[in-house]
Amino acid sequence: MPLTASTAQRIAHRLHAATAHPRLAAALAAALFTGASLQQLATARPRDYDTAAATLALHDRARYTDGCAAHPVPPWAGVFLRAAVCFTRLVSGEDQELLAAPGDRGHLLRVAETARLRPPQPPTARRKGPVGRVEWDWRERREAERYEAMPASRVRPSRR
């Protein structure tokens, strides 16, 4: 569901105030408008953001979660993605992670907490920790459990 203009503006201000790091801000913005897991965000490269079409491609070559998809980028998030593309190209080059690298999980979580941006939480019956504790990767864990429970014959490798 698209965000209202005032909500998008508040989110953009919170991200701007929480971090000056373009990749971390862009990763959180992308998580909000795509609903993608950290492992999917980590697949994006600078070439996966198309400024002209305002789309972001996320990949899932092993079909571990939802497959590959192109997500429309809302205007409020475009500024963060453009900054991340420039930063990534300057620092590392075209084939580096655009949004999240393997060691970024802790940094992303701290920035998200600082910005008061929390992902949807599991139903109360499924929570394992104390009330009020934020679970950041419950969807990702649930998807992994389903994937590991599938018989090997049903798992199809991606054609990419």
Side-chain angles (χ1 to χ4, degrees):
M1 171 169 49
L3 300 172
T4 64
S6 64
T7 302
Q9 186 177 21
R10 280 197 311 273
I11 289 171
H13 285 296
R14 285 180 185 181
L15 283 173
H16 177 71
T19 185
H21 197 292
R23 198 172 74 201
L24 296 177
L28 289 174
L32 290 171
F33 72 80
T34 64
S37 66
L38 181 64
Q39 75 184 39
Q40 279 186 300
L41 294 175
T43 67
R45 302 292 184 257
R47 66 181 168 273
D48 293 323
Y49 174 57
D50 184 343
T51 55
T55 58
L56 174 66
L58 297 178
H59 308 283
D60 191 4
R61 289 176 180 88
R63 295 205 173 281
Y64 190 67
T65 53
D66 298 326
C68 299
H71 300 273
V73 177
W76 68 267
V79 69
F80 295 109
L81 286 168
R82 285 190 300 277
V85 167
C86 290
F87 175 79
T88 302
R89 286 180 177 152
L90 283 172
V91 172
S92 348
E94 194 66 33
D95 202 41
Q96 291 300 309
E97 295 88 358
L98 172 63
L99 300 174
D104 286 343
R105 181 179 213 87
H107 300 296
L108 283 167
L109 298 180
R110 281 190 293 281
V111 170
E113 282 290 324
T114 300
R116 298 182 329 265
L117 297 171
R118 295 181 172 188
Q121 295 297 289
T124 307
R126 289 192 48 127
R127 291 189 187 189
K128 295 178 180 161
V131 176
R133 180 176 170 263
V134 176
E135 290 189 48
W136 287 95
D137 60 350
W138 72 275
R139 281 186 177 161
E140 200 170 318
R141 283 194 318 257
R142 184 181 66 193
E143 290 168 356
E145 289 165 3
R146 275 197 318 238
Y147 181 77
E148 289 171 3
M150 281 184 192
S153 62
R154 289 190 56 203
V155 177
R156 296 177 310 180
S158 175
R159 293 181 184 157
R160 286 187 126 187

